[in-house]
Amino acid sequence: MNLSMRWLHEFIDIQMDPREFSEAITISGSKVESYETEGAEIQNVVTGKILSIEKHQDSDHLVICQVDVGAPEPVQIVTGASNLTVGDVVPAALDGSTLPGGVKIKKGKLRGVASNGMLCSLGELGLTKNDFPHAIEDGIFVLDEECDLTLGKPIQEAIGLNDTKVEFEITSNRPDCFSVIGLAREAAATFQKELTLHTPVVKAGHGSCAGMLDVKIEAADLCSLYSARIVKHVRVKPSPRWMRERLRAMGVRPINNIVDITNYVMLEYGQPMHAFDLRFIEDGKIRVRRAQNGETITTLDGVQRTLTDKNLVIADAKKPVAIAGVMGGEYSGIMDDTTTIVFESACFDGTSVRTTARDQGMRTDASSRYEKGLDYHNCLPALERACELVELLDAGDVLDGIICDDKSVDNSRNIPLQADWINRFLHTDLSADEMKAILTKLGCTFDGDTILVPTFRPDLVHKADIAEEIARFYGYNKIVSTPLSGSAQGQYTPRQKFETTITQTMLAMGLSEIMTYSFISPKYYDKIALPADSPLRKSVTISNPLGEDTSVMRTTALPSMLETLARNFNNRNEEVALFELASEYLPTGEELPCEKTTLLAGLYGKQADFFVAKGMVERLLSVLSVTGCEYEACVDQPSYHPGRCAVLKVGDTQIGILGQVHPAVAENYGMDTAVVSFSLDVDSLFQLACPEKTYVPLPKFPAVTRDLALICEQDLPVRELEKAIQSGGGALLESIQLFDVYQGEQIDAGKKSVAFRLCLRSSDTTLTDDAANAVMKKVMKQLEKIGAVLRS
């Protein structure tokens, strides 16, 4: 909502810097977005009078003008305009001047003749013919008697292009502030100024309107009041300069006096209005009714629209003539030959107008006001103001009488003024009289200690709302700060702490965290090679998706990770390591799916190695105190390489999967490099983690190390060898370290050499060689059971 400061001065006497005004009224609750002064870009452009016009000797279209700009000597300016005569007063941009858009004007020569400036058109000043109807668009702007013709005067002052407009951000619960009067009321309360409101006076006296128009509301739930007045002998012409200036400052384009009056009243009172040409209203009947399904209307913008029974229309005896609260029909507007018009002022249901505007795709200034809920008490004053302006502008003859159908229900509210409660609530010490003085400035009246809330304030419904009004005009800066009573201590839940530990550990290992959408395209399952009968293809379908690419809830986050890796790969990032605590959604057959959290990691580049990723998993499990994890080779995961994939288990619980992404899957994402990924079920990890940390003292006695070089079958997993060693080593075995795997000429075909370093230690004595040798014998017995022997 724009506010003309010049218009505001009509209601309150306020003279201050726009910045000071904006800051103060923002603090009081009416937020200012910005402010600007019209014509601020224009510099050194003044009024000048044409003293003489001579033809340029070397040009057929240029003329040489001597221009009096109020200086001791006239200024010579060469122009190509053909609409000038001696004595015209025009805008003269002198040497060094600036025009809208940052255009600089400097003196120079045109065809060898000195030109010390430029004569300006409307467009060059940022104006249009709507702003000055007497001017021509393709020539120099010649000022008329409406303007200040003092020579040498800055052009902004001469033509009224110097108003300051303030842009407000108005919340939807304050429809009264979508008007100059509403903002004037706020400003008067903010600056403790007297508010001067005008009561419209209509003389009329040009005959009665009886029998000329019949108004009836047939949808009382969608229209509480419909009023109209008739004006005959309409004289359509441009509006006076003061009205055009105010409309322009408020962001509305002037058109003609009748249309401008409806816009002016809408801006001043916040009440949208419309003017109908009476001759196009069949049988002189206006019916406010629901449209019929399939009924059509061509609106003022020339678009034919199909209506439904959800839309409220203003109709005559045969057809709709306007969509109520949104836009009039093509024959409802004012034309050059219009002689008799009907001014309407009505109150339509905000929800209905909002729904209609949305369904028809046509949000207008009127609909934006109606949808916030207007006060029906404002309809008749606005109608009277419009007719008063008709008489003031000599735009027609107003007939006696108001045609009105009133279906309104009393919506007045009373709220007790609880001064003691408000003072406790705000921590203030105001008297009831001081509170009443503030509320009176806002239009409230009183019956003893009962507040009679004005109907234009639908937001005041509770004593807390009254406290807010008092606080913002008393001054938030005057309210003493007080500490919060009671105590509150926020803390993480055990699950939040657990997930934070995961995130911090992954970051410490050099991975970067990402966040991807939980909704994906069903085609993503094809890209990761899921079989057609895979249960993971059974996704929750979104009923109102943004598009096909976001139409289902993912059952696996792997496609989202691969999409992100592929994007980085295509951007030529050489090494990438990412992780995400991703949500996955598994249908349960009930209304809501099972939502689980999965830790998913993906790597490519130098780190994209199965054993590097395995080390990351082991480090994370160690930090989380998850023990007993086993790795089992897996060949049936279609998204992973069949020879480089393992599932992770703790006991009988599968907690995740680790492996190289299948090359064909990587190729589906445009990546011709190795990609490694692992996923862990966070819910399972949380159940398996040991939150209690056990202190282990430093060893007091030295360790004994033994190296074992074993010969075993080539396909015997090293993990089986480790299990056998652990079984034989017992409590004295402190650690096992694999340090060599060899296959070559010195080893029989089908065999491999595996070397381990064993660390033996006792917690209560120094191990002797005999004790260590006894342990090693037990170890070898267990190894021999699985076919492993010492390498000779």
Side-chain angles (χ1 to χ4, degrees), residues 443-458:
C444 295
T445 55
F446 293 87
D447 181 5
D449 286 333
T450 300
I451 306 169
L452 308 181
V453 179
T455 55
F456 57 79
R457 288 299 302 270

Side-chain angles (χ1 to χ4, degrees), residues 418-430 435 463 482:
Q418 301 179 29
D420 292 340
W421 183 89
I422 291 173
N423 280 324
R424 288 196 305 271
F425 185 65
L426 299 178
H427 295 277
T428 55
D429 187 22
L430 293 171
M435 294 181 184
K463 60 183 178 182
T482 55

Side-chain angles (χ1 to χ4, degrees), residues 50 53 174 189-190 267 296 314 345 349 422 457 473 570 606 635 648 696 702 712:
I50 305 296
I53 301 175
R174 290 299 305 275
T190 299
L267 295 172
T296 61
I314 301 165
S345 181
D349 177 68
I422 291 173
R457 288 299 302 270
F473 289 108
N570 293 331
K606 295 179 181 179
V635 297
L648 286 62
V696 178
C712 63

Side-chain angles (χ1 to χ4, degrees), residues 5-62:
M5 292 299 291
R6 188 172 293 162
W7 198 344
L8 178 66
H9 294 161
E10 180 180 318
F11 299 98
I12 61 172
D13 182 14
I14 181 169
Q15 300 290 338
M16 64 174 57
D17 179 75
R19 182 182 182 86
E20 181 184 353
F21 171 84
S22 300
E23 289 177 349
I25 203 166
T26 295
I27 291 174
S28 71
S30 301
K31 183 182 177 183
V32 173
E33 287 289 307
S34 64
Y35 65 86
E36 64 175 315
T37 300
E38 291 180 310
E41 286 187 289
I42 301 174
Q43 301 292 329
N44 203 25
V45 180
V46 300
T47 53
K49 183 177 182 179
I50 305 296
L51 300 178
S52 66
I53 301 175
E54 297 180 6
K55 183 175 174 51
H56 194 296
Q57 294 181 354
D58 295 331
S59 174
D60 292 334
H61 68 282
L62 294 178

Side-chain angles (χ1 to χ4, degrees), residues 259-273:
V259 175
D260 292 351
I261 285 172
T262 61
N263 287 331
Y264 189 92
V265 173
M266 179 180 70
L267 295 172
E268 186 175 40
Y269 281 74
Q271 172 63 42
M273 297 191 66

Side-chain angles (χ1 to χ4, degrees), residues 28 174 186 438-439 442 457 459-460 464-474 476:
S28 71
R174 290 299 305 275
E186 291 287 305
I438 292 174
L439 296 172
L442 298 173
R457 288 299 302 270
D459 58 312
L460 301 183
D465 300 322
I466 300 299
E468 179 186 2
E469 297 301 292
I470 292 171
R472 67 192 185 98
F473 289 108
Y474 170 69
Y476 293 116

